[in-house]
Each structure stands twice: as structure tokens, then as C-alpha cells.
Amino acid sequence: MSHLSTTLESVASRDPLRAAAVDTVKALALAVADIATLIRWPSGDVALGAASGSANADGDNQKALDVLADEMIQNALCKVPSVALYLSEEQDGAVPLHDSGTIIVASDPLDGSSNIDTNVSVGTIFSILPAVDGALQAGRNQIAAGFFVYGPQTTLLLTFGESIMAFQLDNDGQFYDMDWQVRIEPKTDEFAINASNMRQWQSDVAAYIADCLAGTNGPRRRNFNMRWVGSLVADAWRIFRRGGIFLYPADARSGYGAGRLRLVYEANPVAFLVEAAGGKAVDGNGPILDILPESLHARVPFIFGSANEVDEFMRYRP
Ligand code: AFP
């Protein structure tokens, strides 16, 4: 299997921004290897899933590992001169790193942290943007994006906008190419949604899910399966592997008028990967990647996955 650096050599040669993004991915990979070790073999004095006693900009209670992962990612990016700004889901504002930097890195350092205590896969999500356009720019501007999954294997899905590359961490602490031609199946019989929010859904979401649940007796004329991990990176990895549609829509709960997921740190990087793999990613009105963020921590309804099924969902929209 080819080492991460070898696979990325051809990308780095294309242009200086891509070369800067390659350096960033290499630095993140080293930090992630350390985070993976910490998760797999936590040292006795750090309860990773314990509350840190602080909250992030969204008011989410931060786990010890949220704070630790954020520090490790920021320290890794400090070693990459090209990184001008670090935008973290765990920090209120943009963190200046290098005045002469040419790229911005946005990250959810530890996605799914409420699952740490339950031994469920969690991840690190990142988005790399040109610094010249500032912190608030549409996701279509991304130079590169990806996410790591700390699961039974520690893996990375990465794109520079064309194809997707997949890597797996080996026991030497290095990432190697999985030689997986990543494409999302256009058709699916599997949806992912937190069904406990059913009474809060808007009518179009409720109608779409009801028709899936009606199976062969309903208008879809086939049966559907449901999966919901509650960790975006785990649900997303499954969809890249076998297709599916993921829905975190807006709902009637206070604070969920634009859903739960963050545009800059979660939806944009995942949407960049999804479109590169032939899938679709929308907010219910149009492509996620065309949305201009109104603020760093803006939330967005997020529906993504198999292209035919996202199109089918959009037919229910008023
Ligand atoms: P945490 O990081 O607080 O665990 O949230 C994870 C997440 O942002 C995303 O990874 C999941 O898809 C989503 O929340 C799950 O949300 P619900 O807990 O409302 O189902």
C-alpha cells in the first residue's frame, strides 16, 4: 500500500495552494495518529468522555477530549507556515497562526464526542480554504476537505475536489492508501435520521420518512432500512461505503430552526467529499456548497448521500 505522502505527491505539484493543503493534511495525520492512540489507550488520569466544565461557542458542553483534540490539532497547524487562520468548532473566534499564511483551516476537532463513553466511532473533520477570501466563504471555494474516523480502524477520506482518496492508519502510526475508488451509490434503501425527533419535523420530512416506512405497501414500493449512529463521521463513512441518505433537518425544537450541524466545520467538508464521490448534499433548498456562511458557527439543515434519493427527498419539499 502506498504511503499518504506518496499518494499526495502528484497533488502537491499542481499549485501552491494545493501544496499548502498537502502539508496541512500531513500535519493533521500526525496529530490524528496521536489522538487515535489517546482514544484507544486513554491514560488513567484523563477521563476522555468527562465534561471539561466548559462550553463551546454553541453552548455545547465540552468533553475533555474535545479540548485536548482541539489543542493537538492547533499545535499541529502551528507547524505549517501556510496556515493563516485556524477556525475551530471548539473556539469562539478565528485563531491567527501565521501572518504570511495562504490558507485557512476549519475543523471540528472531535465530532461525536457525546459518544466517547459508549465506545462509538468519533472523528476529526477539516476544511481547507484560501485565506484571501476570509473566514466566511462558500464551501465551493474549498481547496481540500476530509474527515478522520476513530473506529475499529482509524481512517481518512480526503478530496481536493475531484476524486476521493481513502487511507487507513497502520500500527506504525502512518496512513496508507486503501486503493478504494470511492463512489456513492446513486440509489439506496437506507436512511439515517434521529427518529426520536419525529414529532418536531416539518411536514415534508415527516411525509418523506413515512413513505420510506410504508415500504412495499407505500408509494416507494420497496422496503427501507434505518441506521443512526449519532456520530456524523460514522454515518457518513457508511454512506460512502454502501450508499444511503443522511438527514439532520431543521425542526421545531428551540435552537434547531436551522438543524444541529455547523456549516463551516461539518456540512461544508462532508458536502465537498459527497459531491466529489457523485453524491448530493443540500440544505433542503439547494446545494450546501453554494451557501455563504453568515457566521463562523452558523448551523444548517443537512441532507446528503445517494444522489437519486436526495433528489427524491427534494420532491417532497413545498
Ligand atoms: P456531539 O459532538 O455533541 O456528540 O454531536 C455529534 C453531532 O454533531 C453529529 O456528529 C451527529 O450526527 C449529531 O450530533 C447527532 O445529533 P443527535 O444527538 O441530536 O442525534
Side-chain angles (χ1 to χ4, degrees):
M1 291 194 294
S2 159
H3 187 275
L4 175 76
S5 299
T6 307
T7 299
L8 297 185
E9 269 170 10
S10 60
V11 176
S13 61
R14 289 194 205 153
D15 75 57
L17 286 179
R18 284 196 169 191
V22 165
D23 290 344
T24 300
V25 171
K26 288 178 182 175
L28 290 174
L30 293 174
V32 162
D34 291 341
I35 295 171
T37 301
L38 202 58
I39 291 173
R40 194 169 296 276
W41 296 286
S43 55
D45 59 343
V46 178
L48 299 177
S52 65
S54 59
N56 66 16
D58 294 299
D60 296 341
N61 291 323
Q62 290 176 308
K63 306 289 187 188
L65 190 58
D66 279 322
V67 177
L68 213 45
D70 184 42
E71 288 170 2
M72 294 167 77
I73 295 293
Q74 184 170 327
N75 290 341
L77 297 176
C78 284
K79 298 169 189 157
V80 184
S82 306
V83 182
L85 283 183
Y86 172 48
L87 313 178
S88 168
E89 184 179 306
E90 302 305 331
Q91 300 191 47
D92 292 359
V95 180
L97 296 184
H98 302 287
D99 291 343
S100 58
T102 55
I103 59 176
I104 292 171
V105 179
S107 178
D108 180 0
L110 211 290
D111 174 69
S113 56
S114 63
N115 297 301
I116 293 166
D117 285 344
T118 58
N119 200 23
V120 165
S121 299
V122 294
T124 295
I125 310 172
F126 65 93
S127 166
I128 302 175
L129 299 143
V132 68
D133 296 322
L136 299 178
Q137 50 186 299
R140 200 139 330 259
N141 273 12
Q142 291 173 99
I143 302 162
F147 63 80
F148 297 89
V149 183
Y150 308 101
Q153 301 92 36
T154 295
T155 54
L156 164 63
L157 277 186
L158 168 67
T159 187
F160 290 82
E162 293 93 32
S163 60
I164 291 198
M165 293 159 268
F167 302 91
Q168 183 172 318
L169 184 67
D170 206 339
N171 53 19
D172 63 355
Q174 301 297 317
F175 281 89
Y176 294 89
D177 200 325
M178 295 173 70
D179 293 328
W180 167 24
Q181 298 308 311
V182 184
R183 299 295 297 166
I184 296 180
E185 287 296 320
K187 187 175 177 295
T188 184
D189 299 339
E190 190 163 77
F191 65 87
I193 194 166
N194 183 335
S196 70
N197 299 321
M198 191 175 291
R199 65 187 181 285
Q200 311 281 3
W201 293 340
Q202 294 165 352
S203 57
D204 57 319
V205 175
Y208 168 73
I209 296 295
D211 285 352
C212 291
L213 293 174
T216 50
N217 299 330
R220 304 301 308 275
R221 309 177 70 77
R222 66 183 196 273
N223 294 326
F224 281 74
N225 188 38
M226 188 190 120
R227 283 285 183 275
W228 185 254
V229 180
S231 176
L232 172 62
V233 294
D235 282 312
W237 180 272
R238 184 190 60 253
I239 289 170
F240 282 100
R241 263 289 183 217
R242 68 186 195 205
I245 182 170
F246 174 102
L247 304 98
Y248 209 119
D251 69 45
R253 288 174 292 169
S254 168
Y256 283 77
R260 174 191 175 96
L261 300 175
R262 287 75 169 186
L263 175 58
V264 173
Y265 310 107
E266 293 167 319
N268 270 342
V270 172
F272 202 51
L273 287 159
V274 167
E275 288 202 3
K280 289 193 174 181
V282 298
D283 67 341
N285 297 313
I288 287 285
L289 294 179
D290 295 337
I291 301 172
L292 187 64
E294 293 177 3
S295 65
L296 279 184
H297 297 281
R299 296 176 190 237
V300 67
F302 194 24
I303 297 95
F304 70 86
S306 296
N308 295 3
E309 199 56 30
V310 173
D311 288 343
E312 180 65 26
F313 168 75
M314 290 298 283
R315 281 190 274 276
Y316 286 73
R317 296 286 293 158

